[in-house]
Amino acid sequence: MSVHARTHVRVARPSRDLAAAERFWTDGLGLRVVYRKPADGEPGAHDLLMLGLPGASWHLELVGAPDRHAEARPTDEDLLVLYLEEPVPGDLVARLEAHGGRRVTSPNPYWNEWGVTVEDPDGYRLVLCERAWTNTPGAP
């Protein structure tokens, strides 16, 4: 077994408020809930929310456990970058802000030139980049 181009990727991070995070990622960005599991009082369990897009090879997992160590600790460089391959729609940024996001300036000038950075309700940064990306060697 080896990693291949179709290997599914899960980005997992803690959340202080899963309801607020869900509004940001679903109503703001347009992701869908692909799985949800409440802790239901099980010892050592946590609330789980997985968000993604149908057919995508990645999803975002948010873990909530207010009584445990799942405290979000984002930095300015904890980025989830989405390469839109087109100018960032102003209405999308407005929707993200209306659903708990906060537009911020990136410490990296590249992201300010080529995209928009929005903090989610937990303080993690989403970069909407107007450029394209490929994993082809030698490509930008």
Side-chain angles (χ1 to χ4, degrees):
M1 168 92 188
S2 63
V3 175
H4 51 81
R6 294 175 297 135
T7 299
H8 195 90
V9 175
R10 174 186 294 182
V11 176
R13 54 176 62 151
S15 176
R16 295 178 194 105
D17 183 342
L18 283 178
E22 182 175 347
R23 285 189 298 275
F24 175 82
W25 293 103
T26 59
D27 298 335
L29 187 60
L31 299 184
R32 297 192 183 142
V33 175
V34 296
Y35 183 78
R36 178 193 316 270
K37 182 183 181 306
D40 290 333
E42 298 174 34
H46 51 268
D47 295 321
L48 189 61
L49 177 65
M50 295 184 185
L51 307 158
L53 295 171
S57 60
W58 61 273
H59 70 273
L60 179 62
E61 174 187 309
L62 302 176
V63 177
D67 60 333
R68 296 187 44 218
H69 63 279
E71 182 64 28
R73 294 186 182 105
T75 71
D76 290 350
E77 292 297 333
D78 286 314
L79 307 176
L80 176 60
V81 179
L82 300 180
Y83 292 91
L84 303 180
E85 300 183 38
E86 63 184 21
V88 178
D91 63 326
L92 174 56
V93 176
R95 210 170 51 240
L96 287 164
E97 291 176 313
H99 291 92
R102 184 173 68 95
R103 187 171 179 171
V104 297
T105 301
S106 175
N108 182 336
Y110 181 88
W111 299 125
N112 297 323
E113 180 178 353
W114 296 107
V116 174
T117 303
V118 180
E119 282 187 351
D120 75 2
D122 289 305
Y124 287 101
R125 291 180 172 205
L126 167 66
V127 178
L128 302 171
C129 184
E130 67 181 53
R131 300 193 79 187
W133 181 262
T134 178
N135 285 345
T136 304

